[in-house]
Amino acid sequence: MKRHLLALNSALIVTAMAVHPSPARAQHPADLDCTMQFSLSTWSLVYKQSEGRGLVTCRDGQSMHVKIVARGGGLTVGKSRIDDGTGRFTDVHSISEILGHYGDAEAHAGAGKASEAQVLTKGEVSLALSGTGRGIDLGVDVGEVTLSRTK
């Protein structure tokens, strides 16, 4: 009888854990509003490389300085710079989820003063970027954008 009672209690506990989110998950809903202000410099000649810095801030008061590195390749040539760019993250539970590698594919063309917008994804987390800058660029490329915490 004790064995059946122990099995029943165990089953009830597992069911309750599956139905109710853990306290950590409940405290950090997926709609945590996080944005990023950034600057980015890019050059490309078949190989494309971008480097920059940003500041991520979330509605819950957390913030983090990040380094932005993008690498890729394709049919691309140019040199440009974006200052005062903005980004918005979606489906974030905590600020640490913004770090990592995002997939990137884009077609671009611009000369002089230009605007840019693109959406990057990393699993369930997405990052929509927009900004204006100066330079000249033309091409199509595929690559990866990495956000890492700066010291």
Side-chain angles (χ1 to χ4, degrees):
M1 180 72 171
K2 284 186 178 182
R3 215 181 245 174
H4 293 298
L5 204 51
L6 181 59
L8 181 60
N9 283 340
S10 297
L12 288 173
I13 290 170
V14 169
T15 303
M17 289 173 64
V19 171
H20 298 290
S22 69
R25 200 67 159 171
Q27 290 174 1
H28 301 288
D31 61 354
L32 180 61
D33 186 22
C34 296
T35 58
M36 178 173 67
Q37 300 296 321
F38 71 94
S39 61
L40 192 65
S41 295
T42 302
W43 66 265
S44 65
L45 181 59
V46 179
Y47 176 78
K48 181 178 178 180
Q49 180 170 334
S50 302
E51 291 190 13
R53 302 254 180 232
L55 174 62
V56 176
T57 55
C58 297
R59 189 180 342 181
D60 66 357
Q62 296 182 73
S63 65
M64 178 188 310
H65 289 274
V66 294
K67 179 178 180 180
I68 306 165
V69 176
R71 291 189 169 81
L75 300 172
T76 180
V77 62
K79 183 176 181 180
S80 62
R81 177 165 181 82
I82 295 175
D83 291 311
D84 299 322
T86 60
R88 178 168 299 280
F89 295 90
T90 59
D91 206 20
V92 174
H93 296 90
S94 71
I95 194 168
S96 62
E97 289 182 339
I98 62 103
L99 300 174
H101 307 285
Y102 292 78
D104 177 28
E106 66 177 310
H108 47 91
K113 191 172 185 176
S115 297
E116 183 175 334
Q118 72 185 104
V119 177
L120 311 172
T121 60
K122 176 188 77 132
E124 294 181 6
V125 177
S126 295
L127 170 58
L129 297 173
S130 62
T132 57
R134 301 195 64 77
I136 184 167
D137 62 350
L138 177 65
V140 176
D141 61 85
V142 176
E144 171 179 270
V145 175
T146 303
L147 298 182
S148 58
R149 185 186 311 258
T150 60
K151 311 226 180 307

